[in-house]
Amino acid sequence: MAFSVVFHHDATDPLAVISAPPPNESSHDRAAREEREVEAQRISDLIDDEIRAERAVRKKEEESVKILLLGQSESGKSTTLKNFRMRFARDKWIEERASWRAVILLNLVRSANTILDALSQDMDEEQDGLNDASKFDDYYRQYKVRLSPLQAVESNLKRLLGATPEDIQPRKQNSPTTLSPCGSSEFFIRSRAWRNFIQTTRGHEFSKHSFERDLPNLVDNTEVIANCKDDIKALWMDGLIQDMLWRRRTRLEDSAGFFLDAIDRLSARDYEPTDDDVLRARLRTLDIQEHEMKRHEVFSPCSLNTFADTDAPKWKIFDVGGSRTQRHAWLPYFDQVNAVIFLAPISCFDERLLEDPRVNRLEDSFILWKAICSSKLLSGTILILFLNKMDILEQKIRNGIMVKRFLPSYGDRPNETNDVVKYLRQKFKDTVRYCSPEPRICHIYPTSVTDTKAMAVTLTSVRDGILREYLKRADLF
Ligand SMILES: Nc1nc2c(ncn2[C@@H]2O[C@H](COP(=O)(O)OP(=O)(O)OP(=O)(O)O)[C@@H](O)[C@H]2O)c(=O)[nH]1
Ligand SMILES: [Mg+2]
C-alpha cells in the first residue's frame, strides 16, 4: 500500500507523517478512509478542471486577431477601418454617423477656400496667359468678397471639433500647400479631442431641434455655407477655373469633388450624413488609434462553418498616421500583430509627397513596402496588400495621363488601367518574393476603398483569409 510505503520510507518527512494512517488502523477503518480519500481526490480534480476551463475561456476572451493598417498618408487606411466598422460593427457606426457632420462641412469649406487661395496666387509668372490672368483677377475680386465668411467658418468648425488654437493654422495666402510642423498643411485633431467630440455628439437623433439645442454653432455655420452655396457652386463648376486648377496642379483632397457636388444636400439645416459621406470625410490620423470589434460582430454571418461563433477571437485594428514624420510610431506594433494590411494608392504615380515634394508617392509606397517585407519582426505576419484608389487611376488614364512619363520603367506597355495594375502588381509581388526573410504568401486586392459595395466582398474575403491563416498558425505553435 502506498501510505505504508511512505510511512516506512521516511518517518521524518513531515508530509509523510501528516499523510500517514493512524496507528493500529483496522482493515475496516482503512477501507473507509481510502474511500474518503478517493472521493476527496475526485472533488479536487473536478475543481481543478473547472479552474482550467475558466482559464481557457478567459484566455479565449483575451485572445484577439490584431491587424495593423499601414501605408503612406492619404493611402486609405482610415477609410479601410471605416469600412470594417461599417460592415462589422454596424450599431456603433450608426451611433457615430451624425458626429461626422462637422468634419464633412469642414472638408467642403476647406476645398472652397483652397480654390479661392489658388485664384489669389500671383499671376505674373503664371502660364495662364495675360487675358486669363486679368479675368482671374476679376473672378477673384468678386468671389473673395462674397465668400469671405468661409474663412471664419473653417476656423469655427475646427474649434468645434476640439482643435486647440495652436492646431489651427491660419491659411496663408499665396501658399496653399505650406507645411505645418506636423508635416502637412492638412487639418488634424488629436485622437483624445476627437473621442470627446464623438462622446458628446454620438447617438444624435438628427432632429433639427436637438442639433440647434446642443450644437448651435454647427447650425449657424451651416447657415453661412447655405448662404454661400450658389457662389461655391459657380466657382466649382466654372470651366475656366477648373482649367486653371488643373494647369496649376492645385492640390484638392480626393473627396473635394464628391462634397462640392453635393453642396445642396450638405448645406441643408437638417442634413444627415450618409454612409458614403462619412467614408469620404477626410480627417488626418495623428496618433495610433485602436478599434476593437467583438467576435459576434465580426463573425455574423460567418462563412467559415468550421468555426463556431463562440470560439472566434475578437478583432483589434490599429490605424496609424502615414506621413513620414509619424512612421517611427509604427515599430512597437510590429511584434504584436497577426496581420498587416498595406495600402498602396497606385493612382499616385504622378503625385509627390506633401511632406517631401522631392519624392514621388508611388516610389515612396515601394520603399515602404520593401521595408515591411524585409522586416524580421514581421516575418511571421500575414501580409495583405490593397492596390488602392483604382477609381482615381482609371480616371487619370481616361484623362490621357501617360504612366510612362512618370514611371519610365513602364516602357511601351499599353496605357490602360488593366495593364498598369498588372505591371504594378507584379512589382509588389516580386518585392515580397525577393525581400521576405522567409517564403510567404501575400494576398493582393485591387481596391477602391470608397466603393462600399465592392469593399463588403473584399473584407469578407480578407476576414476569412486572415482567420484561416491565424488558426493554422495557432495550431502549429
Ligand atoms: N476616390 C477615392 N478616394 C479614396 C480612396 N481611398 C481613400 N480615399 C480618400 O482619400 C483620402 C485619404 O484617405 P484616408 O483613409 O484618410 O488616408 P490615411 O491613409 O488614413 O491617411 P493618414 O491618416 O494621413 O495616414 C480620404 O478623403 C478618402 O476618402 C479610393 O480608393 N478612392
Ligand atoms: Mg488616417
Side-chain angles (χ1 to χ4, degrees):
M1 291 282 118
F3 63 85
S4 57
V5 171
V6 172
F7 182 65
H8 294 298
H9 190 72
D10 185 358
T12 59
D13 178 341
L15 275 182
V17 171
I18 289 164
S19 56
N24 308 324
E25 185 179 40
S26 70
S27 62
H28 179 262
D29 287 348
R30 191 173 73 191
R33 181 176 53 76
E34 280 175 356
E35 205 175 302
R36 279 197 308 277
E37 280 174 359
V38 167
E39 180 57 11
Q41 190 58 49
R42 193 185 66 80
I43 291 171
S44 161
D45 288 350
L46 267 181
I47 292 170
D48 283 353
D49 285 350
E50 261 173 40
I51 291 172
R52 257 195 299 276
E54 243 170 56
R55 267 196 206 138
V57 169
R58 221 174 310 132
K59 191 163 170 250
K60 197 103 255 157
E61 272 173 8
E62 280 161 14
E63 219 170 68
S64 53
V65 176
K66 299 187 198 77
I67 302 173
L68 184 59
L69 293 164
L70 296 180
Q72 63 185 208
S73 186
E74 289 187 87
S75 55
K77 300 180 293 297
S78 300
T79 314
T80 301
L81 173 67
K82 285 183 202 164
N83 269 289
F84 265 107
R85 300 188 71 219
M86 186 168 69
R87 175 147 174 74
F88 297 128
R90 187 82 196 150
D91 291 349
K92 265 194 225 131
W93 167 265
I94 290 174
E95 241 180 51
E96 290 177 15
R97 217 168 33 187
S99 307
W100 284 86
R101 183 174 164 177
V103 179
I104 291 164
L105 291 180
L106 178 60
N107 277 210
L108 173 77
V109 168
R110 275 179 59 83
S111 297
N113 283 337
T114 303
I115 299 173
L116 280 177
D117 285 349
L119 274 176
S120 73
Q121 276 175 46
D122 273 347
M123 301 293 147
D124 303 351
E125 71 268 37
E126 288 295 339
Q127 28 342 21
D128 296 322
L130 216 58
N131 286 342
D132 281 353
S134 60
K135 221 172 207 165
F136 283 140
D137 261 348
D138 288 344
Y139 268 127
Y140 181 60
R141 259 191 292 276
Q142 285 174 35
Y143 285 120
K144 192 181 169 187
V145 177
R146 294 209 293 265
L147 296 180
S148 59
L150 294 184
Q151 299 276 340
V153 172
E154 185 175 328
S155 303
N156 290 344
L157 290 173
K158 287 174 177 175
R159 266 195 297 276
L160 183 72
L161 283 164
T164 61
E166 307 87 69
D167 292 341
I168 301 177
Q169 305 272 316
R171 279 188 166 268
K172 292 208 177 93
Q173 296 282 309
N174 301 331
S175 58
T177 54
T178 310
L179 298 187
S180 77
C182 292
S184 163
S185 62
E186 267 193 288
F187 172 68
F188 58 87
I189 46 173
R190 299 179 197 277
S191 55
R192 193 185 312 152
W194 177 238
R195 265 199 307 274
N196 286 344
F197 184 77
I198 293 262
Q199 212 64 43
T200 48
T201 52
R202 67 153 29 120
H204 233 289
E205 280 155 12
F206 300 119
S207 73
K208 185 177 142 207
H209 186 69
S210 54
F211 259 113
E212 281 177 3
R213 189 192 56 221
D214 299 338
L215 290 173
N217 202 343
L218 184 60
V219 177
D220 291 349
N221 283 292
T222 309
E223 204 99 302
V224 179
I225 298 171
N227 290 337
C228 294
K229 77 174 178 187
D230 290 335
D231 280 323
I232 299 176
K233 266 199 275 188
L235 189 71
W236 171 236
M237 284 153 77
D238 189 303
L240 219 55
I241 293 179
Q242 291 274 353
D243 279 354
M244 181 273 304
L245 293 173
W246 170 258
R247 266 201 307 275
R248 294 181 181 182
R249 300 187 68 79
T250 304
R251 207 180 169 285
L252 287 172
E253 279 162 10
D254 286 334
S255 328
F258 177 83
F259 289 133
L260 285 164
D261 286 342
I263 190 165
D264 284 330
R265 190 168 57 83
L266 269 51
S267 59
R269 274 179 90 90
D270 54 358
Y271 159 60
E272 302 171 20
T274 63
D275 281 351
D276 275 343
D277 295 343
V278 178
L279 211 66
R280 298 270 186 163
R282 164 74 176 149
L283 193 59
R284 191 175 158 221
T285 311
L286 207 62
D287 349 88
I288 296 196
Q289 303 193 354
E290 182 181 328
H291 282 271
E292 198 174 288
M293 287 182 292
K294 304 273 178 283
R295 58 181 64 84
H296 67 271
E297 293 173 331
V298 184
F299 294 100
S300 151
C302 183
S303 61
L304 290 186
N305 297 329
T306 50
F307 210 67
D309 275 7
T310 46
D311 285 342
K314 65 184 171 201
W315 288 45
K316 272 189 188 168
I317 306 187
F318 300 97
D319 181 21
V320 302
S323 65
R324 284 195 158 183
T325 48
Q326 290 169 276
R327 294 180 192 167
H328 64 275
W330 301 359
L331 205 63
Y333 291 80
F334 278 17
D335 60 350
Q336 306 178 22
V337 294
N338 307 101
V340 163
I341 299 180
F342 185 89
L343 284 109
I346 53 172
S347 61
C348 297
F349 63 88
D350 61 340
E351 296 172 25
R352 303 196 154 260
L353 286 183
L354 256 187
E355 61 268 36
D356 186 351
R358 290 167 305 175
V359 183
N360 175 287
R361 286 189 64 186
L362 186 59
E363 185 191 341
D364 179 66
S365 270
F366 271 119
I367 295 169
L368 256 182
W369 179 241
K370 191 170 172 190
I372 302 294
C373 292
S374 323
S375 163
K376 288 216 172 71
L377 283 173
L378 290 174
S379 64
T381 306
I382 303 161
L383 275 192
I384 291 160
L385 172 64
F386 283 2
L387 301 176
N388 195 34
K389 303 204 179 183
M390 286 286 295
D391 56 330
I392 301 180
L393 176 72
E394 267 166 22
Q395 186 67 46
K396 284 187 176 174
I397 303 263
R398 258 204 307 276
N399 288 343
I401 301 182
M402 299 301 289
V403 173
K404 76 169 175 190
R405 230 192 95 201
F406 301 91
L407 197 69
S409 68
Y410 189 66
D412 289 327
R413 291 171 179 83
N415 203 56
E416 299 288 342
T417 309
N418 284 347
D419 297 275
V420 176
V421 175
K422 198 170 148 207
Y423 176 77
L424 293 176
R425 185 191 189 110
Q426 193 56 46
K427 289 274 168 216
F428 279 102
K429 224 170 160 180
D430 288 346
T431 310
V432 179
R433 186 156 167 218
Y434 298 120
C435 300
S436 296
E438 296 160 27
R440 58 162 32 142
I441 297 169
C442 168
H443 302 279
I444 304 179
Y445 298 85
T447 54
S448 297
V449 297
T450 41
D451 178 347
T452 49
K453 247 195 191 150
M455 274 308 279
V457 178
T458 304
L459 288 192
T460 305
S461 160
V462 166
R463 177 199 65 186
D464 293 355
I466 291 179
L467 186 62
R468 228 176 252 122
E469 201 63 29
Y470 174 85
L471 291 177
K472 216 159 59 184
R473 290 171 191 205
D475 275 346
L476 282 178
F477 300 111

